[in-house]
Amino acid sequence: MSRNDAAPGTVNAPPSRLRRVLSLLYVQCLVGVLAGAAVGWLWPSFGAELKPLGDGFIALVRMMIAPVIFCTVVHGIASMGNARAVGRVSLKALIYFEVLTTVAMVIGLVVVNVVQPGSGLHVDPSTLTTKGLPPEATASHESLSAFLLAMIPDTLLSALTGHEILPVLLISVLFGFGLNAAGEAGAGITQGVEKLSRVLFTLIRWIMRLAPIGAFGSMAFTIGNYGLDTLRHLFLLVGSFWLTALFFVLVVLGAVMRVNGLRLLPFLRYIKEELLIVLGTSSSEPVLPRMMAKLQHVGASKPVVGITLPAGYSFNLDGTAIYLTMGSVFLAQALGIDLSLTQQLSMLAVMLLTSKGAAGVTGSGFIALAATLSAVPHVPVAALALIFGIDRFMSEARALTSVIGNGVATLAVAKWEGQLDEERARAVLRGDLPFTAAPGGDRTPSPQPEPTPATRPGEAEGAEEAEEAASKAAAGADREPVPAAG
């Protein structure tokens, strides 16, 4: 008998501990990040040429984001069956976003004025030039009216083929309300959209297996192209920014979780795979579909997740908010420009607008900073050349902070809306209800149950009980579906 032939009545030995650990996606991403950093340090020219690996992975995920948001938001609104409830969730989310974004900016403003990382550089403004900066940084930036008009796509389908999140959200909300208004005529389309979302998440699951390769390529490019010398040159700015972002996450976001009866550190462990992917790619976009799935699994209802999380990618970029205040004041300090409190507060007001719509794409925070400087006369745009070389080292902190902030925001809005299963959330964060293992080694929530007749739009009898049953069924992947009343 060969060693591979099992004797009758025996079972195969379980895989070794090392093999089990290496099969975890977050471990593979960590290995990719470390290997990429080593390649970029030892062979800089070769590491800089690996950029297409990271760009290709991000492009694959971005290809799926618009249809995933569309299906999730449309099905979420249609399953709620109540336009007033949708408006209430959206209003609470926007209020939360504005408050937390302002808090993040104020914290960044305080830290950069206390630490003063730019003092003593004594840079001559006449020696600065915009040559070498990205074209987007020196282009004229849109006004408020142009920003609002840009949310309206040319056609219904063109929003799904573009790269902006706000137009997708607009048509998704309109289409969801349309299905609600159509009553029984829209019920079949609602079920079709839900089935399509299952297919899309299957594709996302396959694509995410390439995350370690993308993280490897992106990190090798960053270290190989910019080198560690650039990072050491302006270590005080980079270090203070990372520490400020860490303070915001642990103190501010930790307090928000505590107020809502949950704890931050278990939540960070729960999304550790997504955080490592963000760390490797310097972008929060690749983990949007997975974050939507995990937040539903933790107990937040599908409608709240579908509305709050995608909106947060445009309106709740906490990491970018900290970066804008610290970056702009740092440049003023480096040029010897003494900004008064009134001038700094006026810049903060402008940042509340320029930070919106800067989705989690690598480098979008740098473009948002350029838009801020071009909108206020205090600091020249050419000063961006001082931090262009180290911006990549801060983009990871921006993306990580924003991903965590959007996840916490979604749980908070779900709790305030009564759409969070707190008992299930605690069980999931303790590890009692892990993500269901799916074929291929990744983890996704179990398929959602089909909508019951009582949950379809247009049926008034038992509406409130049906909405509650549908939301619990959407959140509870490992529980038996709750029968709808009526």
Side-chain angles (χ1 to χ4, degrees):
M1 178 183 299
S2 68
R3 61 184 301 175
N4 294 328
D5 295 332
T10 63
V11 295
N12 294 328
S16 65
R17 179 179 178 84
L18 178 61
R19 185 176 178 181
R20 291 198 304 270
V21 170
L22 291 178
S23 67
L24 299 175
L25 182 60
Y26 75 90
V27 174
Q28 296 172 7
C29 288
L30 180 60
V31 172
V33 168
L34 296 177
V39 169
W41 180 47
L42 296 174
W43 302 284
S45 59
F46 176 67
E49 294 176 355
L50 296 178
K51 187 174 185 290
L53 294 178
D55 291 346
F57 169 70
I58 294 176
L60 281 173
V61 178
R62 291 189 69 186
M63 171 184 71
M64 306 296 300
I65 286 179
V68 165
I69 291 177
F70 177 80
C71 291
T72 305
V73 174
V74 168
H75 184 264
I77 293 177
S79 62
M80 288 184 92
N82 188 341
R84 183 176 298 178
V86 175
R88 190 171 60 244
V89 170
S90 302
L91 180 61
K92 289 180 179 179
L94 290 176
I95 293 175
Y96 175 93
F97 294 160
E98 287 304 312
V99 171
L100 265 290
T101 299
T102 304
V103 170
M105 288 183 174
V106 170
I107 291 176
L109 205 60
V110 171
V111 171
V112 75
N113 278 282
V114 172
V115 178
Q116 296 190 352
S119 297
L121 290 181
H122 304 297
V123 177
D124 185 359
S126 63
T127 63
L128 299 175
T129 176
T130 57
K131 183 179 180 181
L133 294 178
E136 297 87 352
T138 56
S140 59
H141 298 279
E142 58 189 10
S143 61
L144 175 61
S145 59
F147 171 77
L148 296 176
L149 289 175
M151 294 174 56
I152 306 175
D154 294 332
T155 65
L156 187 67
L157 297 179
S158 64
L160 300 178
T161 60
H163 297 297
E164 299 294 332
I165 291 180
L166 292 180
V168 180
L169 282 175
L170 177 63
I171 66 166
S172 301
V173 170
L174 293 176
F175 201 83
F177 281 132
L179 291 180
N180 268 329
E184 284 296 327
I189 299 178
T190 301
Q191 294 182 21
V193 168
E194 196 272 339
K195 289 181 172 63
L196 177 60
S197 68
R198 298 190 194 182
V199 176
L200 295 175
F201 274 101
T202 300
L203 298 179
I204 287 290
R205 200 165 63 237
W206 295 346
I207 293 173
M208 293 309 297
R209 303 314 304 176
L210 301 175
I213 299 176
F216 168 77
S218 294
M219 188 57 65
F221 164 76
T222 299
I223 302 298
N225 191 61
Y226 299 112
L228 295 178
D229 290 336
T230 306
L231 179 61
R232 285 195 295 266
H233 181 61
L234 294 175
F235 176 77
L236 187 57
L237 173 62
V238 176
S240 59
F241 174 69
W242 273 84
L243 290 177
T244 304
L246 182 63
F247 173 84
F248 178 82
V249 169
L250 295 180
V251 177
V252 179
L253 297 183
V256 173
M257 290 287 281
R258 281 288 187 181
V259 167
N260 290 284
L262 300 173
R263 294 170 56 209
L264 178 68
L265 293 182
F267 178 68
L268 297 182
R269 287 195 297 268
Y270 177 61
I271 61 171
K272 58 181 178 294
E273 294 177 352
E274 290 69 34
L275 296 181
L276 280 168
I277 293 172
V278 171
L279 178 64
T281 60
S282 301
S283 173
S284 57
E285 273 198 336
V287 300
L288 174 57
R290 285 178 60 92
M291 286 293 293
M292 296 176 77
K294 279 199 166 183
L295 288 170
Q296 292 175 46
H297 180 74
V298 85
S301 69
K302 188 172 184 177
V304 173
V305 173
I307 294 172
T308 307
L309 188 63
Y313 266 64
S314 289
F315 293 99
N316 189 44
L317 299 173
D318 297 326
T320 300
I322 298 172
Y323 170 79
L324 291 178
T325 50
M326 294 192 68
S328 58
V329 177
F330 166 82
L331 294 177
Q333 293 171 353
L335 297 177
I337 301 174
D338 186 17
L339 294 177
S340 65
L341 179 61
T342 302
Q343 290 174 323
Q344 293 188 32
L345 292 178
S346 67
M347 292 179 67
L348 189 147
V350 173
M351 293 170 193
L352 287 173
L353 174 61
T354 55
S355 63
K356 308 309 178 190
V361 184
T362 304
S364 60
F366 186 79
I367 305 304
L369 179 58
T372 301
L373 297 183
S374 64
V376 293
H378 312 310
V379 182
V381 177
L384 289 171
L386 296 175
I387 62 173
F388 179 57
I390 62 167
D391 177 75
R392 182 80 183 201
F393 293 100
M394 293 186 283
S395 63
E396 289 95 343
R398 291 199 302 262
L400 287 169
T401 306
S402 296
V403 164
I404 298 170
N406 286 327
V408 172
T410 303
L411 294 179
V413 173
K415 170 67 182 298
W416 300 338
E417 190 62 17
Q419 296 289 318
L420 177 66
D421 189 334
E422 296 182 58
E423 182 179 348
R424 176 181 176 83
R426 295 189 184 95
V428 171
L429 297 183
R430 284 196 309 266
D432 298 340
L433 297 174
F435 240 9
T436 306
D442 202 358
R443 298 174 179 180
T444 58
S446 301
Q448 306 292 340
E450 293 293 332
T452 60
T455 64
R456 290 175 178 169
E459 298 190 15
E461 185 177 359
E464 293 182 359
E465 293 84 357
E467 289 175 20
E468 181 179 358
S471 64
K472 288 184 178 180
D478 295 332
R479 298 174 295 172
E480 293 295 326
V482 181

